[in-house]
Amino acid sequence: MKKITVGAFLLSMMFVGVNAQSLKSPDGKFEMNFQLKGGVPYYNLKYNGNVVVEDSKLGLRLFKDTSIKFASEIAKPEDAKFDLNNGFTKTDEKRDSKNETWQPVLGEKKNYINNYNELAVTLNQASADRNIIVKFRLFNDGLGFRYEFPQQKNLNYFTIREEDSEIDFPTDLKAWWIVADYDSQEYKYQETKVSEIPARWPQAADANASQTLIKNAVQSPVMLKKEGKDPLYINVAEAAVLDYPASHLEVDAQNFKFKTHLTADRQGAKGYIQTPSVTPWRTIIVSPKAEELMASKMIFNLNEPTKYKDTSYIHPTKYMGVWWEMIIGKSQWAYAQPESNVRIGQTDFSKLTPTGKHAANNTKVKEYIDFAAENGFKGLLIEGWNIGWEDWFGHSKEFVFDFITPYPDFDIKMLNEYAHSKGIKLIMHHETSGSATNYERWADKAFQLMNKYGYDAVKTGYVGDIIPRGEHHYSQWTINHFYRIAEKANEYKIMVNSHESVRPTGESRTYPNYISAEAARGTEYEAFGGNNPDHQTILPFTRWMGGSMDYTPGIFQTKLDYYFPGDTRFVKTTLVKQLALYVTMYMPLQMAADLPENYKKHMDAFQFIKDVAADWDDTKILSAEPGDYVITARKAKGTENWFVGGITDENKRDYTVDFSFLDKGKKYEATIYEDGKDADYINNPQSYNIYKKQITSKSKINFKMVRSGGFAVSIKPVN
Amino acid sequence: MKKITVGAFLLSMMFVGVNAQSLKSPDGKFEMNFQLKGGVPYYNLKYNGNVVVEDSKLGLRLFKDTSIKFASEIAKPEDAKFDLNNGFTKTDEKRDSKNETWQPVLGEKKNYINNYNELAVTLNQASADRNIIVKFRLFNDGLGFRYEFPQQKNLNYFTIREEDSEIDFPTDLKAWWIVADYDSQEYKYQETKVSEIPARWPQAADANASQTLIKNAVQSPVMLKKEGKDPLYINVAEAAVLDYPASHLEVDAQNFKFKTHLTADRQGAKGYIQTPSVTPWRTIIVSPKAEELMASKMIFNLNEPTKYKDTSYIHPTKYMGVWWEMIIGKSQWAYAQPESNVRIGQTDFSKLTPTGKHAANNTKVKEYIDFAAENGFKGLLIEGWNIGWEDWFGHSKEFVFDFITPYPDFDIKMLNEYAHSKGIKLIMHHETSGSATNYERWADKAFQLMNKYGYDAVKTGYVGDIIPRGEHHYSQWTINHFYRIAEKANEYKIMVNSHESVRPTGESRTYPNYISAEAARGTEYEAFGGNNPDHQTILPFTRWMGGSMDYTPGIFQTKLDYYFPGDTRFVKTTLVKQLALYVTMYMPLQMAADLPENYKKHMDAFQFIKDVAADWDDTKILSAEPGDYVITARKAKGTENWFVGGITDENKRDYTVDFSFLDKGKKYEATIYEDGKDADYINNPQSYNIYKKQITSKSKINFKMVRSGGFAVSIKPVN
């Protein structure tokens, strides 16, 4: 396929003229040019002199420029005079730069470097006497830009019809993408050319518990690659999505062009803005090396430092959970018959007939506590502890949970005391069923209960359609809800791990207690229909770019026919690949998701999960290719211990680890976990070898990963 | 105009057959018949043997009969198989009756009589194996019916597409109505034939701050009259609208038929139902006498008794307010420039430039306290006391108020202490700007502040479009919000007077602290465009049928050119008519709305407002005709004092009060307030006479009311 708009491409060649503003990255490799063409703002981006992004249009369309008086105005036809995308003249230009080092509360490295040159162009729209600023920050790893709306006479309140930020690539790129949706990110990754996205789109959009698909659009972040002899890896995403809808990317397959598409509310509005205000940053991370791109912290750098006064309560935790057994269907969240009709505050749950399948019962929870404590875990998640699960989903029920009342067989006081006596903190679970209004009503009482019993982390959930009805998981209102809950949790010194919420875009810098989100297909999908073997090699290039994910690895018993004879479901991984995920996937609240009974059968392999850290002083992406493999080394926080993990896709693969990242002259003992020679993710997933070896920074070890296999190494200094 | 459906009319003549169920009122005057015709439920209503309501269809249409899994299903085409309006067979019939006397916490009489015969018909829909119950209650003043949905295997959750309860009148009736709207009841009453409603509808729908009009439909309650030699007054309304949308009445002008039209949410859904559940009651109050109809307590009787454990804090109060001067534009709610862009929690209001027009300042409030205390009032409302009024309206701003932070010139502690030292309680004001989600977030803190400073009543406000965006003032979610706030206020022992909320439908029986609502054009509209002189003669037949209204009477200075030379606005009333409203309009939180300076000029007339009660042991509607006049006598709670008020429309009118309602043999001193001979609501509104007279139960006094005038009498026993 050949790009049609050759004219426009040629035009971009003429771009840098007297009217253009040029900005270079600190290392000089990137160059961004901004120009008004006929009053319309454009930018482009070059790397080492080559065009990465052609002249691409900027601007927003509005419903009305000053105020929205009545909802009926939302429905009025488009009126170009309200738009902020034309008729501009440049009235000011400000430059700035920064080179700072900052420490994340929890992170992949001790220090994150925030180094950029900045250009802020003030544009005046004479017809309406309005000013906006387009701000560009050019880092050594790419470009971020956003719109800023100063408070001014003619721009105080407005409602966005659409943000039309274009990213126009000169050639057809390879893309790793999932379908765009206002309510779910839980889709299988596709690997196609940009030009092939529309043809693939329909089959890529499978069913989901709550979904509002946007045809021919893809989710942000999208991972791209210019193939050939000078490959270039490109990640298109956004940063600091706060008080604004999350964006998707409309695909112009003919022209290899993306354009923002914001999540609408039920009125079709895409953001209610009061000035002064700024949009999220649109980000384009670029590197000739996949490893460097994956290591980029640009999205975090584009977020604001936290204003929290105390972050001392925020800590990494490895946890187990009464969870996987419900996911696979062995036990259940509900105490009584699921899909029964119950009412919080009216139904006497102690009088319901228990099905005997309720997992969160005193006996079972104590067994989990015992096992978790014996193996050095500090946390135990328990789902299904509170009343309401009988009819929690699918009924658009607003008052579905109260978050404070345990089931009759869950003695919250006794269990917490028992857990604390063994050094375990229970992890709270607040499933909202999407009923955000109800959660806001109960949040204070729910967090007070957590404080009372010593819970310091909560897993929140938003399965199903959002209430307020008509809002979406990624619309402005709901995003505000997520961070409102984070702030309230901070008041109670509680960490949040949020599921079915919007993908993080670096907000953990600002809200460091908002540890992670789910926002992609996690391990649970292995029980729902399966993840592809390459899934975990793509996630670090997409979902993880803006923040950690609660992927819940650690499944040793991958075949579900173990539980249910004849069941064909299985987790598409070798056992060793599951170990490697603890290193390739950054997650400070890291789960060991399988059942104790399965770990007990492989205590030698389980040792790696017991040993591995969840927070890091350093991270080295040794080698990576989206959709193929990821090899990562990390240095555990405050120690000299290193961990290495390698995973591969559906293809077997050799990789030789060069341990030169270790301290010179030091001796280490490496414990090596590798796929057995006869291991196979379909036929023999539990075959592995474990051995120890003395290594130094000069060592090299070749690992043979079977298809969907991996390796893991635990490294400790010897004396 | 002749009704077209003669066939249907004849059919109804054949109605009472072997398959029909008949129900009679306790006094035998009413007869209701229920019948299935081809599996479709119908009812009719007769009074003294004459058809009042012809055979009228019943039923509901649903989106889906068991559950709503995804919002997208809301948009699916209609599917008759989900509906609950056909294919029924009768499987059971239960009869019941009640004759009880109950005491409202606050009311127009000491005792309300609840006397009815009941018929509950169970209908089975074989195709879906679902049962519903249609329950009829026939009182001596009319009919109520509702649908009941027992919890059952095939009916646990459903979403209503529409309730299609018809009320089919045999002839063209006279109607007093306002246009139907999902967000406002603040319209001018129209007086037309039912057949003329569609032609009048467009001009009856004037602009409003938040409106979602329903073409050719009218609001409930609608007041009707069969004219002729045997006149019949008919009121069509609803009762106990809880966890359900408020209904409107679609008009079939050709067939003189009304049909329910429920308030939709933004998804088009009209009620998310979990069984067991009941709908509100559809009510048809009928009487040959307008006075008897107006006195009906049927709508209250159809509500449930309160579950509140303590109602001792609920008490009547006459209050003044720092209010009218803002309404007319003399001063303002905002401290700084209105329409400035401010942010709660960020803007330092003490650093803004005050305009000097902020009414709720320490000096002015103390003056109001002094005047109110000197004249025996117990309450003082202050609006505009809290930060956020600069940009409170029209921007779809969610966090518009925090309800706890006073403006810099309002010393909440000092003013409350000052007020309490003089026997005054300040009345709190919580304007939400329609942002109900925000109010719910702050409600606890707001009520705690009220408890701290000794406020025991709050006026709430919902001006503008509702947030959650897409919800309406009368949709199920928002109605649940109103009563959720009532329940929360009860926890704090606080009384609620709610403005721009849904009209009450008798809920004060269940939520006795929810004293009143606005839900119609009140006095404020006199400053916004004017009420018609007959407005207050229609309200008691419509808006007031389900609960009291905060009409805020008592305007002595009716001409606004007094404040603003050349201003043509004026309150369309004589001064004496304003006095009479305190009797004709029942309101336990009753306001004297004018400025102290105006009362000071007419202290003799003001004496009536000082004397009049706000809660009653007895009420006699002496004479009334919708759109023409209302003459009411009431006996003050716990005393032997009576008050009589009479008002007329745009026509002057004589009325002779027969005082035979007074105790026989007792002597009374009557203080009489009447329009001056030269009084005129346009040219000379402040002309009045006041005199005293000894009266007994045998006395009769003739009053001459000028156009839009009235009279008022204060009666005390002499020893």
Side-chain angles (χ1 to χ4, degrees):
Chain A
M1 186 175 288
K2 191 87 183 93
K3 186 161 179 174
I4 298 160
T5 55
V6 179
F9 183 72
L10 290 176
L11 195 63
S12 82
M13 296 295 95
M14 305 157 56
F15 191 103
V16 183
V18 282
N19 292 317
Q21 283 70 50
S22 178
L23 179 69
K24 292 209 170 187
S25 60
D27 65 4
K29 289 186 178 168
F30 284 99
E31 182 184 344
M32 191 289 300
N33 291 289
F34 173 83
Q35 193 176 30
L36 286 173
K37 296 198 274 192
V40 175
Y42 283 81
Y43 75 100
N44 65 26
L45 182 66
K46 292 175 190 169
Y47 180 72
N48 281 338
N50 299 314
V51 174
V52 178
V53 178
E54 295 186 298
D55 291 6
S56 300
K57 233 186 280 192
L58 298 171
L60 301 101
R61 283 171 287 148
L62 311 185
F63 281 97
K64 201 165 185 298
D65 62 341
T66 51
S67 70
I68 294 292
K69 284 243 156 43
F70 311 123
S72 56
E73 294 184 0
I74 296 285
K76 279 188 184 166
E78 201 153 359
D79 187 340
K81 79 178 179 211
F82 297 139
D83 294 343
L84 282 168
N85 60 7
N86 66 81
F88 287 116
T89 53
K90 185 171 75 72
T91 57
D92 197 12
E93 173 189 330
K94 283 202 170 68
R95 287 170 188 273
D96 199 359
S97 66
K98 181 167 265 188
N99 189 358
E100 65 168 356
T101 299
W102 59 278
Q103 288 74 42
V105 176
L106 303 174
E108 295 183 80
K109 296 186 174 196
K110 195 169 189 174
N111 295 310
Y112 284 14
I113 293 163
N114 184 20
N115 184 16
Y116 61 79
N117 290 330
E118 179 179 291
L119 168 68
V121 185
T122 301
L123 301 177
N124 176 263
Q125 193 180 40
S127 61
D129 191 18
R130 298 184 297 190
N131 295 312
I132 67 168
I133 294 165
V134 185
K135 185 174 279 181
F136 298 92
R137 284 186 183 166
L138 201 47
F139 300 78
N140 291 337
D141 47 356
L143 175 67
F145 65 85
R146 73 176 180 189
Y147 306 90
E148 301 187 353
F149 311 107
Q151 188 176 337
Q152 57 199 285
K153 183 165 163 284
N154 293 329
L155 199 62
N156 282 281
Y157 306 89
F158 57 94
T159 302
I160 295 173
R161 186 183 293 274
E162 189 60 282
E163 179 184 325
D164 300 310
S165 299
E166 295 185 351
I167 304 179
D168 192 353
F169 294 104
T171 56
D172 197 5
L173 303 173
K174 193 171 177 182
W176 292 266
W177 56 276
I178 53 175
V179 295
D181 189 312
Y182 289 171
D183 286 294
S184 180
Q185 291 132 166
E186 298 182 352
Y187 292 101
K188 285 187 180 172
Y189 277 95
Q190 309 295 320
E191 184 178 325
T192 70
K193 290 276 188 184
V194 169
S195 61
E196 296 163 349
I197 290 174
R200 176 71 67 84
W201 197 94
Q203 75 197 71
D206 51 349
N208 206 286
S210 172
Q211 62 184 169
T212 308
L213 292 155
I214 310 141
K215 205 179 167 194
N216 291 347
V218 300
Q219 300 248 358
S220 162
V222 64
M223 185 64 203
L224 304 164
K225 183 182 182 183
K226 184 187 156 203
E227 297 179 291
K229 74 176 171 64
D230 291 317
L232 213 53
Y233 295 86
I234 304 169
N235 180 282
V236 173
E238 58 187 337
V241 181
L242 297 169
D243 199 13
Y244 203 83
S247 79
H248 313 273
L249 292 160
E250 291 179 7
V251 180
D252 178 346
Q254 270 71 47
N255 296 303
F256 323 135
K257 189 161 74 174
F258 294 93
K259 188 193 83 63
T260 48
H261 174 118
L262 304 179
T263 304
D265 73 2
R266 189 73 192 187
Q267 307 200 96
K270 298 187 164 188
Y272 300 82
I273 307 295
Q274 175 180 0
T275 64
S277 182
V278 298
T279 70
W281 297 90
R282 307 294 147 209
T283 63
I284 307 165
I285 305 174
V286 182
S287 176
K289 292 184 180 169
E291 297 79 14
E292 284 182 4
L293 185 140
M294 198 200 282
S296 169
K297 295 291 167 270
M298 199 176 102
I299 289 175
F300 299 91
N301 285 326
L302 287 167
N303 278 266
E304 293 298 313
T306 188
K307 289 176 184 159
Y308 288 0
K309 291 192 179 73
D310 176 19
T311 59
S312 64
Y313 68 92
I314 298 165
H315 59 85
T317 298
K318 278 188 295 180
Y319 71 98
M320 295 189 67
V322 182
W323 175 76
W324 179 244
E325 57 179 271
M326 284 99 93
I327 291 289
I328 61 176
K330 185 172 177 286
S331 57
Q332 68 190 27
W333 287 269
Y335 172 77
Q337 197 54 44
E339 300 182 26
S340 297
N341 175 340
V342 296
R343 287 177 199 259
I344 305 294
Q346 293 179 38
T347 302
D348 182 349
F349 286 81
S350 72
K351 296 209 170 121
L352 299 182
T353 308
T355 58
K357 294 190 76 182
H358 180 228
N361 64 71
N362 293 333
T363 308
K364 180 167 291 184
V365 171
K366 284 173 79 173
E367 287 168 11
Y368 270 88
I369 291 170
D370 290 342
F371 183 81
E374 284 160 16
N375 291 286
F377 288 85
K378 296 295 176 197
L380 178 69
L381 168 72
I382 299 135
E383 298 203 358
W385 68 278
N386 59 324
I387 58 171
W389 286 90
E390 283 70 17
D391 63 352
W392 71 288
F393 176 71
H395 305 302
S396 200
K397 186 177 171 180
E398 186 167 14
F399 186 15
V400 63
F401 292 112
D402 69 5
F403 312 98
I404 59 170
T405 308
Y407 273 125
D409 56 350
F410 186 89
D411 184 339
I412 188 168
K413 182 169 183 292
M414 178 275 285
L415 289 170
N416 273 285
E417 286 172 359
Y418 186 77
H420 296 167
S421 76
K422 301 206 162 193
I424 297 280
K425 282 189 179 176
L426 300 190
I427 295 179
M428 178 49 77
H429 185 228
H430 291 165
E431 173 58 49
T432 68
S433 187
S435 183
T437 46
N438 182 54
Y439 189 34
E440 292 197 3
R441 270 172 221 134
W442 286 94
D444 275 297
K445 283 182 180 156
F447 290 145
Q448 283 157 12
L449 186 87
M450 289 178 64
N451 279 176
K452 178 178 174 185
Y453 289 114
Y455 292 81
D456 69 351
V458 61
K459 174 180 173 181
T460 59
Y462 295 85
V463 175
D465 293 339
I466 293 293
I467 301 178
R469 299 181 183 102
E471 292 291 345
H472 295 288
H473 286 71
Y474 315 143
S475 60
Q476 183 189 28
W477 191 94
T478 315
I479 287 175
N480 285 343
H481 164 83
F482 296 136
Y483 296 108
R484 191 182 294 126
I485 290 295
E487 288 188 331
K488 190 175 282 292
N490 177 55
E491 288 172 29
Y492 291 95
K493 300 194 186 302
I494 285 168
M495 299 182 284
V496 179
N497 164 18
S498 185
H499 281 232
E500 296 87 26
S501 49
V502 71
R503 60 182 175 274
T505 53
E507 292 83 357
S508 62
R509 186 179 187 191
T510 312
Y511 302 96
N513 68 325
Y514 197 80
I515 305 294
S516 64
E518 183 186 41
R521 284 195 176 211
T523 296
E524 64 183 21
Y525 260 84
E526 304 281 7
F528 302 159
N531 293 326
N532 292 329
D534 66 355
H535 187 60
Q536 304 92 340
T537 69
I538 302 170
L539 285 174
F541 289 100
T542 51
R543 166 61 187 78
W544 244 280
M545 294 300 293
S548 64
M549 173 180 173
D550 191 22
Y551 191 81
T552 69
I555 303 302
F556 281 13
Q557 182 47 261
T558 58
K559 302 295 191 91
L560 299 196
D561 63 0
Y562 167 79
Y563 308 101
F564 314 107
D567 196 319
T568 58
R569 294 177 296 164
F570 70 106
V571 187
K572 294 173 187 60
T573 175
T574 64
L575 187 150
V576 172
K577 185 179 185 182
Q578 289 292 306
L579 302 182
L581 294 178
Y582 286 84
V583 188
T584 61
M585 295 183 151
Y586 169 64
M587 171 63 176
L589 285 181
Q590 190 63 287
M591 189 178 201
D594 210 342
L595 312 187
E597 66 183 84
N598 297 321
Y599 290 135
K600 283 177 188 166
K601 293 177 193 154
H602 305 278
M603 289 304 285
D604 53 352
F606 189 51
Q607 188 63 42
F608 182 81
I609 300 178
K610 291 167 66 172
D611 291 341
V612 72
D615 193 30
W616 312 96
D617 271 343
D618 202 4
T619 288
K620 310 274 187 195
I621 312 299
L622 301 181
S623 188
E625 178 69 15
D628 290 345
Y629 57 88
V630 176
I631 321 288
T632 303
R634 300 195 200 261
K635 188 181 183 194
K637 195 79 167 179
T639 77
E640 294 297 321
N641 301 339
W642 283 81
F643 295 86
V644 183
I647 61 169
T648 181
D649 62 356
E650 66 282 4
N651 300 307
K652 66 179 182 175
R653 205 175 297 271
D654 279 19
Y655 183 75
T656 299
V657 175
D658 178 341
F659 288 92
S660 58
F661 54 82
L662 296 175
D663 276 4
K664 310 275 173 274
K666 251 192 189 149
K667 283 182 183 167
Y668 297 86
E669 182 188 73
T671 308
I672 289 152
Y673 304 74
E674 60 180 19
D675 290 327
K677 277 187 183 153
D678 57 347
D680 183 81
Y681 82 100
I682 297 174
N683 301 313
N684 194 18
Q686 294 183 330
S687 168
Y688 55 82
N689 299 317
I690 302 173
Y691 63 96
K692 290 186 193 295
K693 190 172 182 177
Q694 295 266 336
I695 63 170
T696 68
S697 64
K698 292 178 183 165
S699 302
K700 289 180 185 178
I701 301 178
N702 180 262
F703 293 96
K704 294 187 192 308
M705 299 181 275
V706 303
R707 54 179 189 160
S708 204
F711 65 90
V713 188
S714 168
I715 302 166
K716 291 181 186 178
V718 181
N719 297 337
Chain B
M1 184 177 287
K2 191 87 184 92
K3 185 160 180 175
I4 297 160
T5 54
V6 179
F9 183 71
L10 289 176
L11 195 64
S12 81
M13 295 295 95
M14 303 156 57
F15 190 104
V16 183
V18 281
N19 292 317
Q21 282 70 50
S22 178
L23 179 68
K24 292 208 169 186
S25 59
D27 65 3
K29 288 185 179 169
F30 283 99
E31 181 184 343
M32 190 289 299
N33 292 288
F34 173 83
Q35 193 176 31
L36 287 173
K37 296 198 276 191
V40 175
Y42 283 82
Y43 75 100
N44 64 26
L45 182 66
K46 291 173 189 168
Y47 180 71
N48 281 338
N50 299 314
V51 174
V52 178
V53 178
E54 296 186 297
D55 291 6
S56 300
K57 233 186 279 193
L58 298 171
L60 300 101
R61 282 173 286 148
L62 309 185
F63 281 97
K64 200 164 185 302
D65 61 342
T66 51
S67 70
I68 293 293
K69 285 240 157 43
F70 311 123
S72 55
E73 294 185 358
I74 295 286
K76 280 187 182 167
E78 200 153 0
D79 187 339
K81 78 178 180 214
F82 298 139
D83 294 342
L84 283 167
N85 60 7
N86 66 80
F88 287 115
T89 53
K90 185 171 75 73
T91 57
D92 196 12
E93 172 190 332
K94 283 201 171 67
R95 286 170 188 273
D96 198 359
S97 66
K98 182 167 266 188
N99 189 358
E100 65 167 356
T101 300
W102 59 278
Q103 287 74 42
V105 177
L106 303 173
E108 293 182 82
K109 295 185 175 197
K110 194 169 190 174
N111 294 309
Y112 285 14
I113 294 163
N114 183 20
N115 184 17
Y116 61 79
N117 290 327
E118 180 179 291
L119 168 68
V121 185
T122 300
L123 301 176
N124 176 262
Q125 193 179 39
S127 62
D129 190 18
R130 299 184 298 190
N131 295 312
I132 66 167
I133 294 165
V134 186
K135 186 174 278 180
F136 298 92
R137 284 187 183 165
L138 201 47
F139 299 78
N140 291 337
D141 48 356
L143 175 68
F145 65 84
R146 72 177 180 188
Y147 306 91
E148 300 187 353
F149 310 108
Q151 188 176 335
Q152 58 198 283
K153 184 165 164 283
N154 293 329
L155 200 62
N156 282 281
Y157 306 90
F158 58 94
T159 302
I160 295 173
R161 185 183 295 273
E162 187 61 281
E163 180 185 324
D164 299 310
S165 300
E166 295 185 351
I167 305 180
D168 191 354
F169 294 103
T171 57
D172 198 5
L173 303 173
K174 194 172 176 180
W176 292 266
W177 56 276
I178 53 176
V179 295
D181 189 312
Y182 289 169
D183 286 294
S184 180
Q185 291 133 163
E186 298 181 352
Y187 292 100
K188 284 187 182 172
Y189 278 95
Q190 309 295 320
E191 183 180 324
T192 70
K193 291 276 190 183
V194 168
S195 61
E196 295 163 350
I197 289 173
R200 175 71 67 84
W201 196 93
Q203 75 197 70
D206 49 350
N208 206 287
S210 173
Q211 63 184 167
T212 308
L213 291 156
I214 311 140
K215 204 180 168 194
N216 291 348
V218 300
Q219 300 248 357
S220 163
V222 62
M223 184 65 203
L224 304 164
K225 184 183 181 183
K226 184 187 156 205
E227 296 179 290
K229 75 177 170 66
D230 291 315
L232 214 53
Y233 294 87
I234 304 168
N235 179 282
V236 174
E238 59 186 336
V241 181
L242 297 168
D243 199 14
Y244 202 83
S247 78
H248 313 272
L249 293 159
E250 291 179 7
V251 180
D252 177 347
Q254 270 72 48
N255 297 303
F256 323 136
K257 191 161 72 175
F258 294 94
K259 189 192 82 62
T260 47
H261 174 118
L262 303 179
T263 304
D265 73 2
R266 189 75 191 184
Q267 308 200 93
K270 298 187 164 188
Y272 300 82
I273 306 296
Q274 176 181 1
T275 64
S277 182
V278 298
T279 69
W281 297 89
R282 308 294 149 209
T283 62
I284 307 165
I285 305 173
V286 182
S287 176
K289 291 185 180 168
E291 297 80 14
E292 284 182 3
L293 185 142
M294 196 200 282
S296 170
K297 294 291 167 270
M298 199 175 103
I299 289 174
F300 298 91
N301 285 326
L302 286 167
N303 279 266
E304 294 297 312
T306 187
K307 290 177 184 159
Y308 288 1
K309 290 193 180 71
D310 175 18
T311 59
S312 64
Y313 68 92
I314 299 165
H315 59 84
T317 298
K318 279 188 295 180
Y319 71 99
M320 295 189 68
V322 182
W323 176 76
W324 180 244
E325 57 179 271
M326 284 100 92
I327 292 289
I328 61 176
K330 186 172 176 285
S331 58
Q332 68 192 27
W333 286 269
Y335 172 77
Q337 197 56 45
E339 300 181 25
S340 296
N341 175 340
V342 296
R343 288 179 198 256
I344 304 295
Q346 294 178 38
T347 302
D348 182 347
F349 286 81
S350 71
K351 297 208 170 123
L352 299 182
T353 308
T355 58
K357 293 191 77 182
H358 180 229
N361 65 71
N362 293 332
T363 308
K364 180 167 291 187
V365 171
K366 284 174 79 173
E367 288 169 8
Y368 270 87
I369 292 170
D370 290 342
F371 183 82
E374 283 161 15
N375 291 285
F377 288 85
K378 296 294 175 197
L380 179 69
L381 168 73
I382 299 135
E383 297 202 359
W385 69 277
N386 60 322
I387 58 170
W389 287 90
E390 283 70 16
D391 63 352
W392 71 288
F393 176 70
H395 306 302
S396 201
K397 186 177 171 181
E398 187 167 14
F399 187 14
V400 62
F401 292 112
D402 69 6
F403 311 99
I404 58 169
T405 308
Y407 273 125
D409 56 349
F410 185 89
D411 184 338
I412 188 168
K413 182 168 184 291
M414 177 275 285
L415 288 171
N416 272 285
E417 285 172 0
Y418 186 77
H420 296 165
S421 76
K422 301 207 162 194
I424 296 279
K425 282 190 178 173
L426 299 189
I427 295 179
M428 177 50 77
H429 186 228
H430 290 166
E431 173 56 49
T432 68
S433 188
S435 183
T437 45
N438 182 55
Y439 189 34
E440 291 198 4
R441 270 171 221 136
W442 286 94
D444 275 298
K445 284 181 180 157
F447 290 145
Q448 283 157 12
L449 186 88
M450 288 178 65
N451 280 177
K452 178 177 175 186
Y453 288 115
Y455 292 81
D456 69 352
V458 61
K459 174 180 172 181
T460 59
Y462 294 86
V463 175
D465 293 340
I466 292 294
I467 300 178
R469 298 181 184 101
E471 292 291 345
H472 295 288
H473 286 72
Y474 314 144
S475 60
Q476 182 189 27
W477 190 93
T478 316
I479 286 176
N480 284 343
H481 164 82
F482 295 136
Y483 296 107
R484 192 181 293 126
I485 290 294
E487 287 188 332
K488 190 175 282 291
N490 178 55
E491 288 172 29
Y492 292 94
K493 300 196 186 303
I494 284 167
M495 299 182 285
V496 178
N497 165 18
S498 184
H499 280 231
E500 297 87 26
S501 49
V502 70
R503 60 182 176 275
T505 52
E507 292 83 357
S508 63
R509 187 179 185 190
T510 312
Y511 302 96
N513 69 325
Y514 197 79
I515 305 294
S516 64
E518 184 185 42
R521 285 195 175 208
T523 296
E524 64 184 21
Y525 259 84
E526 304 282 6
F528 301 159
N531 293 326
N532 292 329
D534 66 355
H535 187 61
Q536 305 92 341
T537 69
I538 302 170
L539 285 173
F541 288 100
T542 52
R543 164 63 186 79
W544 244 280
M545 293 301 293
S548 63
M549 173 179 174
D550 192 22
Y551 192 82
T552 70
I555 303 302
F556 281 13
Q557 183 46 260
T558 58
K559 302 295 191 93
L560 299 196
D561 63 359
Y562 167 79
Y563 307 101
F564 314 106
D567 196 320
T568 57
R569 294 177 296 164
F570 70 106
V571 187
K572 294 174 186 60
T573 174
T574 65
L575 188 150
V576 172
K577 186 180 184 179
Q578 290 291 306
L579 302 182
L581 294 178
Y582 287 84
V583 188
T584 61
M585 295 183 150
Y586 169 64
M587 171 63 176
L589 285 181
Q590 189 63 285
M591 188 177 203
D594 210 342
L595 311 186
E597 67 184 83
N598 297 321
Y599 290 135
K600 283 177 187 166
K601 291 176 193 156
H602 304 277
M603 289 303 286
D604 52 353
F606 188 51
Q607 188 63 41
F608 182 83
I609 300 177
K610 292 167 65 173
D611 292 341
V612 72
D615 192 31
W616 311 96
D617 271 342
D618 202 4
T619 287
K620 310 274 187 196
I621 312 300
L622 301 180
S623 189
E625 177 70 14
D628 290 346
Y629 56 90
V630 175
I631 320 289
T632 302
R634 301 195 199 260
K635 188 183 181 191
K637 194 79 163 180
T639 76
E640 295 297 321
N641 300 340
W642 284 81
F643 296 86
V644 183
I647 60 168
T648 182
D649 62 356
E650 67 281 5
N651 300 307
K652 66 179 181 176
R653 204 175 298 270
D654 279 21
Y655 183 76
T656 299
V657 174
D658 179 340
F659 289 93
S660 58
F661 55 82
L662 295 175
D663 277 4
K664 308 277 174 273
K666 249 190 190 151
K667 282 183 185 169
Y668 296 86
E669 182 188 74
T671 308
I672 289 152
Y673 303 75
E674 59 180 19
D675 290 327
K677 276 183 184 154
D678 57 348
D680 183 82
Y681 81 100
I682 298 173
N683 301 312
N684 194 17
Q686 295 184 328
S687 168
Y688 55 83
N689 298 318
I690 302 173
Y691 63 95
K692 290 185 194 294
K693 193 173 179 174
Q694 296 267 335
I695 61 168
T696 68
S697 65
K698 291 175 183 166
S699 301
K700 290 179 183 177
I701 301 177
N702 180 262
F703 293 97
K704 294 187 192 308
M705 299 180 276
V706 302
R707 55 179 190 161
S708 204
F711 65 89
V713 188
S714 168
I715 302 165
K716 291 180 187 178
V718 181
N719 295 336

